[in-house]
Amino acid sequence: MQLLHFQLIIFSLLVFSSCENDKNKTLEATQEIQQAEVVFGKNNHNTPLENPAVAVITAQWGAYIDFADDIPKVNRSTIDKLRVLSSRLVVSSDSLYRFIPDTLNTRPISARLLVLQTRIKLLHQALGFDRLDSIRVEEHILEINDAHSNFITQMNEKFIKDGINQEQKDVEDREIEKRKRDSIFKAELRDNNKN
């Protein structure tokens, strides 16, 4: 009789255990479905507009075109989309960093690009973990937004500074030319007065 009771207890535990496992699997599956539908990133993130001179250069920068199309998509994406997108952004940001056009290849611009590239790789890494930390993913997206804005701002500032420097050079050249003409005119006046 005790053997029968013992077998019944074991059988009950097995049934209970299997029901509990089914509940856990169902709960995990539901959480995964809910997590797949969650949208990350800002709804209204605005990056600075590129200076027209910057737009001309970046239009000729092969890797930048694909990168510029993908980077805004980081906002308002699901986990699955972010995983695909981050993989593409890692590749395109590596290419961007290796092939910076000569006119943009300055320390401040390459430094901002390196920060952006690092932020993208951190997001990609965070998306690769089995257990996803949604807060970290959101933080990485915000950091990517800031780094991208800083990168564009730095490119714009380079052309603004170049424009100011060119304007100053033009003013100096005109001043030198004016002084030359004035000195030639004065020399001619002296020559005419001697005659």
Side-chain angles (χ1 to χ4, degrees):
M1 181 88 155
Q2 272 185 337
L3 184 60
L4 182 65
H5 285 298
F6 182 70
Q7 287 176 341
L8 277 173
I9 291 173
I10 297 228
F11 179 74
S12 299
L13 286 175
L14 286 174
V15 169
F16 180 73
S17 173
S18 69
C19 289
E20 193 64 31
N21 284 340
D22 287 342
K23 279 184 187 178
N24 287 340
K25 287 179 184 176
T26 305
L27 182 62
E28 287 175 8
T30 305
Q31 287 174 343
E32 285 178 15
I33 290 170
Q34 288 173 345
Q35 192 177 42
E37 296 173 359
V38 172
V39 177
F40 291 90
K42 283 185 169 181
N43 198 18
N44 58 355
H45 175 70
N46 295 318
T47 56
L49 295 175
E50 292 178 353
N51 181 313
V54 173
V56 168
I57 298 220
T58 56
Q60 298 168 0
W61 191 3
Y64 187 81
I65 296 167
D66 293 334
F67 179 80
D69 287 342
D70 284 341
I71 195 79
K73 295 176 187 173
V74 169
N75 292 293
R76 310 309 303 153
S77 290
T78 62
I79 290 298
D80 293 334
K81 288 180 184 177
L82 279 173
R83 285 185 173 127
V84 171
L85 191 60
S86 69
S87 294
R88 286 198 321 244
L89 285 170
V90 165
V91 171
S92 62
S93 66
D94 285 344
S95 180
L96 282 178
Y97 190 73
R98 276 188 302 228
F99 303 109
I100 299 174
D102 290 338
T103 51
L104 295 176
N105 199 357
T106 64
R107 282 187 181 173
I109 291 174
S110 62
R112 297 307 183 284
L113 183 54
L114 184 61
V115 169
L116 179 56
Q117 180 185 30
T118 303
R119 300 293 183 214
I120 290 168
K121 287 181 178 181
L122 287 171
L123 173 65
H124 183 67
Q125 181 182 16
L127 292 169
F129 293 131
D130 291 336
R131 189 158 178 90
L132 189 70
D133 184 352
S134 60
I135 293 172
R136 287 298 304 154
V137 169
E138 193 69 38
E139 287 172 355
H140 288 309
I141 290 172
L142 293 175
E143 290 170 349
I144 287 172
N145 288 337
D146 289 342
H148 183 236
S149 294
N150 291 338
F151 174 59
I152 291 175
T153 300
Q154 191 61 48
M155 288 192 296
N156 287 341
E157 285 178 6
K158 188 236 189 265
F159 280 92
I160 291 169
K161 288 176 186 175
D162 287 353
I164 291 170
N165 290 341
Q166 184 62 42
E167 188 177 313
Q168 286 176 343
K169 185 180 181 307
D170 291 345
V171 167
E172 289 171 3
D173 289 346
R174 284 194 299 264
E175 185 66 32
I176 290 170
E177 189 62 36
K178 183 180 175 194
R179 287 181 186 167
K180 284 181 185 177
R181 282 192 310 246
D182 288 347
S183 65
I184 291 172
F185 180 71
K186 287 178 184 177
E188 286 177 358
L189 278 177
R190 273 187 258 137
D191 287 346
N192 287 340
N193 287 337
K194 288 181 182 179
N195 294 333

